Amino acid sequence: MLALIPLFPLLGFLVNASFGRRLSKNLSGSLASAVMVASFVVSVMAVVDLAGLPAGERAIEQTVYTWIASGDFVLDLTFRVDPLAAVMILIVSGIGALIHIYSTAYMHEESDREYARYFSYLNLFAAFMLVLVLGANFLVLFVGWEGVGLCSYLLIGFWFRKKSASDAGKKAFVVNRIGDYAFVLGVLLLFVRFGSLDFQRLAGLVSAMPAEEGVFGVISIATLLLFIGATGKSAQIPLYVWLPDAMEGPTPVSALIHAATMVTAGVYMIGRNAVLFSHAPETMMVVAVIGALTALMAATIGLVQNDIKRVLAYSTVSQLGLMFLAMGVGAFGAGIFHLYTHAFFKALLFLGSGAVIHALHGEQDIRHMGGLKRYLPTTYWTFLIGSLAIAGVPFLSGFFSKDEILYETFHEGHTLLWLMAAVTSLLTATYMFRLVFLTFHGERRHDGAGHLHDAPPAMAIVLVILAVGSALAGYVGIPHALGGHHQLAAWLAPSFQPPGSAEGIEAAAEAPAVELTLMAVSSAIAIGGILLASFIWLRRRELADALSRRFAAIYTLLLNKYFVDEIYDAAVVHPIQHGSERALWRGFDVAVVDGAVNGAGTIVAEGSGLLRRLQTGSVRAYAGSMFIGVIVILGYYLWR
């Protein structure tokens, strides 16, 4: 039944792409949502079957067919569900289904044809992501990996007549291709070294080898190349620049990309190859440092952004950085735990922002909002729960997963990285409640309040479900220090161990007093960030303007996102453009390519001109030509 999980949304794509223009909006949207619900139901059935197996044998495989058979090398199209894949398919199909249902109302103003096109892309996106997480080997994963890249291009640039949207789609596509080039090299290097692309076989082979301590060997190089691919898909330094621009797509697309699908692919890939990465400690340190730097940098940028979706975009980059930090310090379970909780509150926040934009007829600048709490109560209260969760307020979902990352980082001796993550948490609470206060509190700074309306039922129901998830999802990972049993960590542990390993469940925390102390510190940080935001943007709003003027240089730097896009344009984009327009275009394209094509055309034209002169229409001339031809042929043979 595993093949049905991606097959259902694929069928939805085929129907809407082929016949969608003939279907009504209700039928098109209902079909797309129904196939996602069906995929979720099958996923739940598969996970229930998986949970019934002994802990060390939790794996269900389905080989669809033999894909490549060359000599001794055989590679099958195989789907595999283990505890890690089980968490991912529930997130992708479950959150994805909710986003589809939300979209039926949000996109209702589109024409029938565009409506069907949107849902066909959305279904295809989900199908490829499910292939990615179900793939039992690198090649099947890569099909999903490239597929979500294609779909991100199609969905970000969905309103392609808008230049900023088409440019953002192309930017996402090109930046991801850079990372994918490194990813392919990493996969090829592993194949050359080990002769296999199957995750389980690779883990077994690598586990028999010593870790590459203090040396950058084949495993370290391969994992570093894989991580570069992950920086593209999961928006880390230096390939994060596409994600904020992805806001040009419809808001439900932003929720799907940021919460349930594409940006989690890199984190999942490292978790899937935990044994491989664990044998490359040098690469692991690179992963941890890049994750911490990305988390902190993106949080500082999010502090001053004014577009409601752009604030959330940089929040996603920052939270992904925390996940990579966890992966880098070896806390694979903590990283996936935060991926799981993040899916709920980030989907909620993006869809809540969509309800605000929908109510304000397209307005996205939070400086033009304010006072919406009164008019959009459902949106406000659900958005508030999501903000509290991402801020890490006890005892909501984000509190448990973020605290786990902070504790594991500190426990592994990475004090500086822990400090960077702690500052990131403070900034997260601050910028999220800046967003809440400027959007929903204070005086009204927008027109047409009489026409404001809260989210329609299809949107409101989804917001409420996600709000419940944002509040309660973390209770599957209550730490030992609070009397829990780390159920999610215990469930995931076999996926991070070599095949047949007897280690099983992760060990309990060795120092509950230390964990409780760090938990109190992270709670104080979250509450402190909220209080700071309330002081500045509720009580003393003029203070924000005064600070921006006093620290104008820093404010300008953050507002312009450290000028990274401008640096890339000056150092990479423009030189390539100028080189292609001058040297490459004139030297090769014009002289060689155009010369060859035009030369062939010239030869045909001149040759046809000569032939036309022979076609006089005179029978006497044709007879004479034939007579001369016969004489020439006879003369040739007689001469020989």
Side-chain angles (χ1 to χ4, degrees), residues 310-516:
R310 199 165 285 269
V311 174
L312 296 176
Y314 280 104
S315 169
T316 299
V317 176
S318 182
Q319 298 302 306
L320 287 166
L322 293 178
M323 296 176 207
F324 277 103
L325 170 61
M327 295 296 187
V329 300
F332 300 106
I336 299 301
F337 186 18
H338 197 54
L339 184 156
Y340 157 73
T341 59
H342 179 264
F344 286 96
F345 53 71
K346 188 49 60 70
L348 172 60
L349 291 169
F350 266 110
L351 297 183
S353 72
V356 172
I357 296 167
H358 190 265
L360 297 179
H361 309 289
E363 180 60 67
Q364 294 185 199
D365 193 326
I366 58 177
R367 294 171 296 183
H368 301 156
M369 298 180 188
L372 294 177
K373 175 183 176 181
R374 172 184 174 187
Y375 304 99
L376 311 176
T378 301
T379 302
Y380 168 71
W381 287 109
T382 54
F383 196 94
L384 179 63
I385 291 172
S387 300
L388 291 168
I390 194 174
V393 171
F395 287 87
L396 301 179
S397 62
F399 164 77
F400 294 106
S401 58
K402 190 179 294 186
D403 174 73
E404 187 68 17
I405 294 174
L406 289 169
Y407 170 69
E408 292 286 353
T409 303
F410 188 88
H411 183 67
E412 293 297 323
H414 302 290
T415 307
L416 179 58
L417 296 181
W418 174 85
L419 182 61
M420 294 170 69
V423 174
T424 299
S425 298
L426 175 66
L427 293 174
T428 301
T430 304
Y431 69 65
M432 281 308 306
F433 275 84
R434 169 183 177 261
L435 183 62
V436 170
F437 296 144
L438 290 181
T439 303
F440 294 99
H441 290 258
E443 59 185 22
R444 180 168 58 86
R445 300 183 301 279
H446 49 85
D447 298 325
H451 301 290
L452 291 178
H453 57 84
D454 209 347
M459 293 164 61
I461 291 171
V462 170
L463 292 177
V464 171
I465 293 173
L466 289 172
V468 173
S470 298
L472 303 179
Y475 285 87
V476 299
I478 299 176
H480 297 283
L482 292 179
H485 299 287
H486 264 311
Q487 291 97 332
L488 186 63
W491 168 262
L492 290 169
S495 296
F496 307 135
Q497 305 293 345
S501 172
E503 293 183 37
I505 299 173
E506 292 183 358
E510 297 177 6
V514 174
E515 185 172 7
L516 288 172

Side-chain angles (χ1 to χ4, degrees), residues 236-321:
Q236 298 295 286
I237 294 172
L239 300 180
Y240 70 92
V241 291
W242 68 271
L243 191 57
D245 289 1
M247 299 303 97
E248 293 292 339
T251 301
V253 170
S254 303
L256 191 62
I257 291 175
H258 287 246
T261 56
M262 184 167 164
V263 297
T264 62
V267 181
Y268 165 78
M269 185 273 296
I270 293 179
R272 171 55 64 213
N273 296 282
V275 175
L276 203 62
F277 277 82
S278 296
H279 279 67
E282 305 300 324
T283 300
M284 292 278 280
M285 181 52 64
V286 172
V287 173
V289 170
I290 292 295
L293 287 173
T294 303
L296 183 58
M297 184 199 68
T300 59
I301 296 173
L303 194 61
V304 300
Q305 297 302 303
N306 295 311
D307 184 303
I308 186 172
K309 289 173 65 177
R310 199 165 285 269
V311 174
L312 296 176
Y314 280 104
S315 169
T316 299
V317 176
S318 182
Q319 298 302 306
L320 287 166

Side-chain angles (χ1 to χ4, degrees), residues 12-29:
F13 158 73
L14 292 174
V15 173
N16 265 321
S18 302
F19 311 108
R21 69 186 65 184
R22 301 185 182 93
L23 302 178
S24 66
K25 287 181 183 177
N26 287 337
L27 186 57
S28 180

Side-chain angles (χ1 to χ4, degrees), residues 112-130:
D112 289 356
R113 182 172 182 173
E114 295 298 284
Y115 195 79
R117 181 168 69 91
Y118 169 82
F119 277 105
S120 68
Y121 292 166
L122 217 59
N123 275 168
L124 185 63
F125 202 165
F128 275 127
M129 188 65 192
L130 289 166

